[in-house]
Amino acid sequence: MYEIGISRDFLNGRGEIAWGDIGLSRIEADPRLRHRMIGDGDVAENFAGFDAVLVLRQRIDQKLLDAAPRLRHVSRWGAGLDRIDLDACTRAGVMVTSTPLGGKVPVAVAALTFVLTLTHRVLEKDRLVREGRWAERADYMGMGLAGRTIGIVGLGNIGREFARLAAPFQARLAAYSPRAEKAQADALGVELVGLDQLMERSDIVVVTAALTPATQGMISAERIARMKPGCIFVNVARGEIVDEDALIAALKSGRIARAGLDVFREEPLAPSSPLMRMDNVLLAPHALAWTDQIISGNAVDAIGSLLSVAANKRPGFIANPQVLDHPRFADMSS
């Protein structure tokens, strides 16, 4: 029997899979496979006895791999891999797969949702109506996008999709993305620039980059100080990319007029965080992109990878392709 573990962060407060059938019925249809929830608590030994695991935000490190010698596949529900030690997995003969396409459109739409909500000052205008302050509405003028510069930090799958979504609004699009191809950017109408230049020129900055050692802390206090006074800042990537203290200071001073944040340095965001008390910040619990479409998209790829590896077939979206050289995968068919 091929044993598949499901990390407990898929459960809601009632102890149920948060999104209903996330594709587990496809596993149940194969009599050679069995799935069950991984034991409670962050204990590496809970992963012993599994051939594969489906994880959401579970950390996979050397300690866990040492405790689970049978493990050969980690299927990550989502695109980010910052909680998984890919080198350790490769050494241990553990294949890691992800779902980079499932969230591409939903996360890009989430970023655009932040941009439109913040530029049109939707929350402030909602409060004006609820508080009977109609006479103040002229004090809350929004920002039109036509002719403005939107700077995209990270022109990967999500960044490119955001550029496509933003194009009809007639904004100027710029991006910082060292590995982006100029021809691809040109086709999207995006100008590739340096990060400092992007921060200085942009009326709106949207962060979509993956968290890596190179991007951690990339939006530093020095770079935030370069931003145009009164600009708008959106982060749908990872909180660790941004110096959160410097961001808070810039929001207090007004250098950044408004911000939309779906991610934070520490999650959940502490009730004591100054961000909780700021009227010029729109907050979401790392879930703004969670729609029926992201669930169905991730389910297709994450469960599909589990089924492929269980059948010794090469899946799509292997995050550590060097693992194919490991003896465990010598007979894997393409």
Side-chain angles (χ1 to χ4, degrees), residues 4 14 22 31 33-34 55 69 86 88 99 108-109 138 156 169 171 188-189 198 247 264 274 279 289-290 297 305:
I4 299 173
R14 299 182 297 277
I22 57 172
L33 310 181
R34 180 167 58 193
V55 300
L86 290 178
T99 61
V109 170
F169 293 93
L188 291 166
L198 180 142
L247 175 65
F264 308 92
D279 291 336
W290 287 9
S305 292

Side-chain angles (χ1 to χ4, degrees), residues 115-126 139-143 257-258:
V115 168
L116 295 177
T117 302
L118 293 165
T119 55
H120 284 267
R121 309 191 70 167
V122 173
L123 288 182
E124 294 102 314
K125 291 173 181 178
D126 174 83
D139 297 331
Y140 293 88
M141 297 299 291
M143 175 195 293
R258 294 179 291 284

Side-chain angles (χ1 to χ4, degrees), residues 112 155 197 212 214 319:
L112 184 60
L155 201 62
Q197 186 180 6
T212 67

Side-chain angles (χ1 to χ4, degrees), residues 66-90:
D66 289 342
R70 183 170 158 181
L71 187 66
R72 68 194 296 262
H73 180 205
V74 173
S75 180
R76 159 78 169 110
W77 179 285
L81 297 164
D82 46 281
R83 289 177 172 266
I84 299 176
D85 187 333
L86 290 178
D87 290 338
C89 286
T90 301

Side-chain angles (χ1 to χ4, degrees), residues 59-70:
R59 189 173 297 281
I60 306 293
D61 56 17
Q62 187 66 58
K63 180 181 178 181
L64 185 149
L65 295 171
D66 289 342
R70 183 170 158 181

Side-chain angles (χ1 to χ4, degrees), residues 143-167:
M143 175 195 293
L145 295 182
R148 306 284 183 176
T149 297
I150 300 177
I152 306 167
V153 181
L155 201 62
N157 283 328
I158 294 168
R160 292 194 300 272
E161 185 63 26
F162 175 81
R164 280 188 279 268
L165 293 173

